[in-house]
Amino acid sequence: MCEDANAVPGKILVGANNDGVYRYLTLALGNRHGLIAGATGGGKTVTLQRLAEGFSNAGTSVFLADVKGDLAGLSQPGEPRQAFVDRCLEIGLAYAPDRFPVVFWDIFGEQGHPVRATIAEMGPLLLARLLELNETQEGVLNVVFRVADEQGLLLLDLKDLRAALTFVSEHAGELQTKYGNVAPASIGAIQRQLLSLESQGGDKFFGEPALDIADFLRVDRDGRGVINILAADKLMRAPRLYATFLLWLLSELFEQLPEVGDLDKPKLVFFFDEAHLLFEDAPKPLLTAIEQVVRLIRSKGVGVYFVTQNPLDVPDTVLGQLGNRVQHALRAFTPRDQKAVRAAAETFRRNPAFDTSEAIMQLGVGEGLVSMLDAKGKPEMVDRVLIAPPAARVGPITPQERAAVLEASSLRGKYDTAVDRESAYEVLQKRAETHLRSAGAGPAGGAPIEAGASSGGGLTGMLGGLVGGLFKRANPKRLSTGEIALRSAVQSAARSIGTQVAKEVLRGVLGGISR
């Protein structure tokens, strides 16, 4: 880290201008969101890492996606590269390496703790976005979710959704008067998209133990915020899954965290890298939902920072809510590039000392135009700033270093083993077997719809038995890895028990279950 004896409390040092004036991000305004933009190679990753370190030092938890694999270096002490030492000297500081508390996550469970969500938590709107469904197919998916609610069918993983789709297809005639036509072609299209999602590894994301958002909001023994790093290099091969996952995570934070108003620092800062993937081809209802989440989530103590190459990647309705901004170099080779430069320049409060449009095209590596919110919440005059180097390593880590971090993680064993409890697939399978036995016939259609049918009572009893069996142990440290995972699944189930036995559930702003 670049040490500054005169560092201002409650602020994060971003860098200094050519006159030696330091520029800061005010922690109390860190939940007013932000933008880090610029062409490849301009220094966006270094700026992101610099801010992440500052928030962590202040006791704020951080979530970020490691798209290129180089942000994992936050877990290791920095190296006194000559460029970093020179930059610190240039802005009147001293370079001091540091490392930060890091937890690695990975949807595929290969480079970090597995991250899972249930189908019910994802909800029909985000799932339709993930599966690239048209309006008609999305309508059918909504019918499937509603029928599952009414029938007490837990939608946890992909096989549960497939079973529910088959159930609705077999009873389409009975459901038509209540929900309208459910076309077999739409059911078939959804099933094919599920198969495609599974081939991309999406099946590993859906299931239990589901992620407990509280595990993102932690500090270490020194009071520094934990930096949660999602390994996204493999995930980026399925960009729709990447964008939908991060949007789901944002919606979960929005739904679960309480209102806290303005704090002296954010509870969590969420960096959304490759932000253009979130908005590409997004339907209007989804864009409206994203805008609503971004506007309201700051009152939950969460700041969202979009990282992208071009400011035009972010819709104006969202861009207008991003108060803290760092713009790295853009090159104007095409008319669209020139438009992007002008658009970026116009979003800043003008500085009479230089032409903002010209400056954007002249910025060097590690240099940016910075405009943060002042003490009154107004954008500061844009300034040309040399970004201070991060304290941790800038670059990838070795497999051995990653394994050591995972081995020392306090979450080891909580999510590592998947748990498959009774849900829609098993319930419908049992109903079909019961129907066949009572009919005394061979294979036939699915079981008839049972009004008010629900597995809630049996599930509640099962949960009670599991909880009793797991928690009556005198020393929880003796729990095996499998038992820890099972306990996590039970706790996950307990958090959403109301949705398991009710005929209908409240769905949140993005279509998931509101817990």
Side-chain angles (χ1 to χ4, degrees):
M1 168 183 266
C2 293
E3 295 290 349
D4 179 14
N6 299 312
V8 179
K11 294 181 180 291
I12 296 174
L13 176 65
V14 178
N17 63 17
N18 290 328
D19 296 326
V21 178
Y22 294 135
R23 295 301 178 191
Y24 298 91
L25 184 152
T26 302
L27 276 169
L29 299 171
N31 65 335
R32 302 294 179 92
H33 312 316
L35 175 71
I36 302 173
T40 300
K44 294 193 303 295
T45 299
V46 168
T47 299
L48 188 161
Q49 185 166 330
R50 175 71 191 176
L51 293 180
E53 292 178 0
F55 281 116
S56 176
N57 279 328
T60 294
S61 302
V62 174
F63 173 87
L64 52 87
D66 192 3
V67 173
K68 299 187 290 290
D70 50 1
L71 290 172
L74 281 158
S75 64
Q76 307 298 320
E79 302 157 348
R81 298 182 186 178
Q82 192 60 47
F84 290 172
V85 173
D86 291 345
R87 171 56 58 86
C88 282
L89 290 174
E90 190 175 2
I91 58 181
L93 306 171
Y95 181 78
D98 197 2
R99 63 188 301 171
F100 294 83
V102 165
V103 173
F104 289 120
W105 302 89
D106 184 2
I107 281 183
F108 305 103
E110 297 171 357
Q111 302 182 68
H113 302 297
V115 184
R116 299 184 189 89
T118 66
I119 292 288
E121 288 172 333
M122 178 66 71
L125 179 60
L126 284 182
L127 197 57
R129 159 79 165 166
L130 180 59
L131 298 176
E132 301 184 54
L133 303 183
N134 61 33
E135 188 175 344
T136 301
Q137 294 159 358
E138 183 179 347
V140 170
L141 190 62
N142 273 285
V143 170
V144 172
F145 270 74
R146 177 58 65 88
V147 171
D149 286 344
E150 294 178 345
Q151 291 288 307
L153 302 174
L154 288 172
L155 300 180
L156 302 181
D157 52 28
L158 290 185
K159 72 177 188 302
D160 290 327
L161 183 55
R162 287 197 180 98
L165 283 163
T166 301
F167 178 82
V168 168
S169 179
E170 291 173 346
H171 296 90
E174 303 165 56
L175 296 168
Q176 185 172 3
T177 55
K178 186 174 182 180
Y179 299 112
N181 185 43
V182 178
S186 295
I187 295 286
I190 297 172
Q191 294 279 29
R192 288 191 296 274
Q193 291 297 89
L194 288 176
L195 183 62
S196 174
L197 176 62
E198 188 174 29
S199 68
Q200 297 179 41
D203 58 318
K204 292 182 173 62
F205 173 53
F206 293 107
E208 290 186 313
L211 176 67
D212 183 356
I213 290 297
D215 286 333
F216 275 3
L217 306 170
R218 299 185 303 126
V219 296
D220 69 358
R221 66 182 64 183
D222 298 321
R224 298 194 298 178
V226 170
I227 300 176
N228 300 277
I229 300 179
L230 175 73
D233 48 346
K234 182 177 178 181
L235 183 60
M236 285 302 297
R237 300 172 196 170
R240 186 61 64 92
L241 178 59
Y242 167 80
T244 306
F245 164 71
L246 291 190
L247 185 52
W248 164 79
L249 192 56
L250 200 57
S251 71
E252 285 292 288
L253 290 166
F254 175 76
E255 291 184 25
Q256 293 189 39
L257 295 180
E259 296 277 346
V260 293
D262 292 325
L263 304 173
D264 57 352
K265 61 186 177 184
K267 296 169 63 176
L268 175 72
V269 169
F270 188 105
F271 288 95
F272 205 129
D273 203 358
E274 300 294 339
H276 67 281
L277 296 174
L278 175 61
F279 303 105
E280 277 182 352
D281 303 321
K284 188 173 180 7
L286 184 59
L287 288 175
T288 301
I290 295 170
E291 178 190 351
Q292 183 180 359
V293 169
V294 173
R295 185 174 68 252
L296 299 178
I297 201 170
R298 73 179 185 89
S299 65
K300 309 290 185 86
V302 177
V304 183
Y305 287 70
F306 293 97
V307 184
T308 188
Q309 292 193 19
N310 194 325
L312 295 180
D313 295 335
V314 182
D316 290 342
T317 53
V318 175
L319 194 62
Q321 300 177 48
L322 311 182
N324 301 298
R325 302 190 182 193
V326 179
Q327 175 67 58
H328 290 281
L330 288 174
R331 307 302 179 214
F333 298 120
T334 68
R336 187 178 188 275
D337 293 338
Q338 294 169 3
K339 181 181 178 181
V341 170
R342 289 194 299 271
E346 290 169 359
T347 62
F348 288 109
R349 180 182 165 192
R350 184 175 174 273
N351 188 332
F354 58 86
D355 183 284
T356 308
S357 297
E358 290 294 328
I360 289 176
M361 295 185 288
Q362 297 170 357
L363 294 170
V365 177
E367 191 177 11
L369 296 182
V370 175
S371 176
M372 301 296 174
L373 297 177
D374 63 19
K376 296 182 179 179
K378 298 185 299 183
E380 294 177 335
M381 188 181 298
V382 64
D383 202 358
R384 189 166 177 170
V385 171
L386 299 172
I387 305 298
R393 181 188 301 177
V394 177
I397 61 177
T398 66
Q400 293 76 21
E401 289 171 332
R402 184 181 294 270
V405 173
L406 286 169
E407 180 68 23
S409 172
S410 61
L411 297 177
R412 186 166 63 93
K414 181 173 181 178
Y415 297 103
D416 298 339
T417 303
V419 174
D420 186 12
R421 60 190 173 100
E422 184 178 78
S423 48
Y425 175 81
E426 290 80 13
V427 170
L428 290 173
Q429 194 174 46
K430 288 179 181 179
R431 287 189 194 177
E433 291 171 356
T434 301
H435 178 64
L436 289 176
R437 283 197 300 269
S438 63
I449 296 180
E450 304 169 12
S454 171
S455 60
L459 179 60
T460 304
M462 181 185 74
L463 288 174
L466 287 172
V467 173
L470 287 175
F471 291 97
K472 70 182 181 180
R473 290 173 175 257
N475 186 359
K477 292 184 179 179
R478 296 180 181 176
L479 292 175
S480 68
T481 299
E483 288 172 321
I484 293 172
L486 186 57
R487 180 174 65 180
S488 178
V490 172
Q491 291 170 335
S492 172
R495 291 196 303 270
S496 56
I497 189 67
T499 69
Q500 299 162 5
V501 298
K503 290 183 178 180
E504 296 186 11
V505 295
L506 294 174
R507 298 206 180 274
V509 67
L510 285 170
I513 290 180
S514 175
R515 292 193 248 195

